[in-house]
Amino acid sequence: MKVISKTAAKPERAPDPRPARTRAAILAAVERLGEQGAELSVSSVVAEASLSRSSFYSQFNDIGDVAVQLLRELYEQNTVPSDPLAAVKFLLTEFSAHRHLYSAVLGDSATVSAEWEVCDIIAAASLPAIAAVAPSHIQPEFAARFFASGALACIIPWLRSEQRASVDSFAEQLLELRPSWVQSGS
């Protein structure tokens, strides 16, 4: 006689596709609003996406969180090039592709927390390269944050400019600003 366990494993349920659809609708709405040059706010995004505010807030904390999550996912899902010029172009290409979102969020006093989170993401991505060349008297974490915040301070006006330098030339300019100990080590 076969004994049937009462604690037999239940079959796994398929993940609920609704959150992914909601998230996709929000991101598509942000893109459409960006193409139109419209204001980016939770109200405008939910209206464009035909969603409720609670649907938006189930996915994101605010508009700044949309930008932060996009950038975080980019760095988690992709291998950042080890070549410094390619790494900077990688970042600038993302900012340029979602220019309206990032220019609306970065440098805006209402989204300072998003700006700091973006700075943290950039610093974390650059830390291994900086740690490899940092002189013993310089803390790599401190240097990574310093470089990330300085780069971001230059990137924000570049994003907002109507007559921006190309990604290639702007990346080269940013790299020229690095101190000699970083340049010689890369």
Side-chain angles (χ1 to χ4, degrees):
M1 178 194 294
K2 190 173 183 179
V3 177
I4 299 175
S5 169
K6 291 183 180 180
T7 59
K10 294 180 182 178
E12 284 192 39
R13 294 176 72 177
D16 186 352
R18 290 176 294 182
R21 281 196 307 259
T22 298
R23 184 179 172 80
I26 291 167
L27 295 176
V30 166
E31 289 300 318
R32 285 190 304 274
L33 290 168
E35 290 169 3
Q36 299 166 9
E39 174 197 2
L40 278 183
S41 66
V42 173
S43 296
S44 64
V45 170
V46 297
E48 180 69 24
S50 299
L51 295 170
S52 67
R53 289 177 76 81
S54 63
S55 293
F56 178 92
Y57 288 117
S58 73
Q59 299 298 313
F60 302 102
N61 296 329
D62 55 26
I63 292 295
D65 192 34
V66 175
V68 168
Q69 286 192 37
L70 276 178
L71 191 61
R72 185 173 287 123
E73 288 170 6
L74 176 76
Y75 277 97
E76 289 171 354
Q77 295 171 357
N78 295 285
T79 303
V80 178
S82 58
D83 172 65
L85 182 59
V88 172
K89 286 180 182 179
F90 175 82
L91 175 64
L92 294 177
T93 299
E94 167 64 12
F95 281 152
S96 190
H98 298 101
R99 177 181 176 207
H100 188 69
L101 171 62
Y102 288 113
S103 64
V105 169
L106 299 174
D108 183 358
S109 61
T111 57
V112 170
S113 65
E115 191 170 324
W116 280 111
E117 287 186 65
V118 166
C119 188
D120 287 343
I121 293 166
I122 296 169
S126 64
L127 180 59
I130 291 170
V133 298
S136 61
H137 65 282
I138 293 182
Q139 296 175 345
E141 295 83 6
F142 180 78
R145 175 166 277 292
F146 177 80
F147 297 142
S149 60
L152 203 51
C154 295
I155 290 169
I156 292 167
W158 173 76
L159 276 174
R160 292 179 171 184
S161 173
E162 291 301 319
Q163 296 180 349
R164 296 180 296 148
S166 71
V167 165
D168 290 344
S169 67
F170 189 60
E172 289 170 8
Q173 288 179 50
L174 285 175
L175 288 179
E176 286 296 317
L177 296 173
R178 299 175 302 164
S180 59
W181 62 265
V182 175
Q183 291 185 28
S184 63
S186 57

